[in-house]
């Protein structure tokens, strides 16, 4: 009976050990399922974030391209207006030759002299 009871005690201890191991393995399985679920939700969140970043990058790229296109258009318009202003200035600017300046100066002197003579004659006599 002692041998039988020792054998039963050993079997009982083995069963208890196996039960504890089984219980620990079940706990580990549940923990791993929880981790896998967390990893799956993180993967989905990262995929959503990646898509949002791609959309924002595409929007930024479109805005930059639009801004460059607008800047190029503004530069082109400014160049055309500067050119038009230069043509207008060149058309409206009259360059006098040397003899034309002399004639203008002599004419101005004669005009001032005639005005002074007219004042002298009107008020001097």
């Amino acid at each position: 009976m002692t041998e039988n009871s020792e054998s039963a005690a050993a079997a009982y201890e083995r069963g208890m050990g196996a039960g504890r191991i089984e219980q620990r393995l079940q706990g580990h399985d549940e923990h791993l399922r929880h981790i896998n679920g967390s990893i799956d939700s993180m993967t989905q969140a990262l995929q959503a974030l990646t898509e949002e970043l791609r959309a924002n990058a595409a929007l930024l790229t479109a805005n930059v391209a639009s801004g460059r296109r607008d800047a190029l258009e503004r530069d082109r318009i400014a160049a055309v207006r500067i050119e038009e202003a230069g043509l207008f200035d060149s058309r409206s600017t009259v360059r006098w030759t040397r003899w034309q300046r002399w004639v203008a100066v002599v004419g101005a002197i004669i005009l001032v002299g005639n005005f002074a003579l007219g004042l002298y004659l009107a008020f001097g006599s």
Side-chain angles (χ1 to χ4, degrees), residues 4 6 16 22 39-40 52 55-57 61 65 74 86 95-96 101 111 113 115 123 125:
N4 203 8
E6 285 178 13
M16 288 296 289
E22 179 71 25
I39 290 173
D40 288 342
E52 184 179 348
N56 287 340
T61 302
R74 283 192 304 271
R95 298 271 183 203
W96 288 14
R101 287 186 211 136
L111 182 65
F115 183 68
F123 295 110
S125 1

Side-chain angles (χ1 to χ4, degrees), residues 25-104:
L25 286 176
Q26 244 179 354
H28 289 305
D29 285 346
E30 288 176 25
H31 183 69
L32 287 175
R33 267 190 240 107
H34 178 71
I35 289 173
N36 285 341
S38 297
I39 290 173
D40 288 342
S41 65
M42 286 298 293
T43 302
Q44 290 173 355
L46 284 174
Q47 286 174 345
L49 183 60
T50 302
E51 290 303 316
E52 184 179 348
L53 285 174
R54 283 184 182 152
N56 287 340
L59 182 62
L60 179 64
T61 302
N63 286 339
V64 167
S66 175
R68 285 183 185 156
R69 188 173 49 245
D70 291 345
L72 290 174
E73 184 67 19
R74 283 192 304 271
D75 290 345
R76 187 188 65 76
I77 290 170
V80 167
R81 289 192 177 154
I82 288 171
E83 184 179 326
E84 288 173 353
L87 290 175
F88 179 75
D89 286 345
S90 67
R91 284 188 221 141
S92 64
T93 303
V94 177
R95 298 271 183 203
W96 288 14
T97 61
R98 178 172 275 186
W99 67 270
Q100 288 172 327
R101 287 186 211 136
W102 277 107
V103 169

Side-chain angles (χ1 to χ4, degrees), residues 9-25:
Y12 176 77
E13 286 299 321
R14 280 194 312 268
M16 288 296 289
R20 281 191 291 250
I21 292 172
E22 179 71 25
Q23 186 177 10
R24 287 184 67 196
L25 286 176

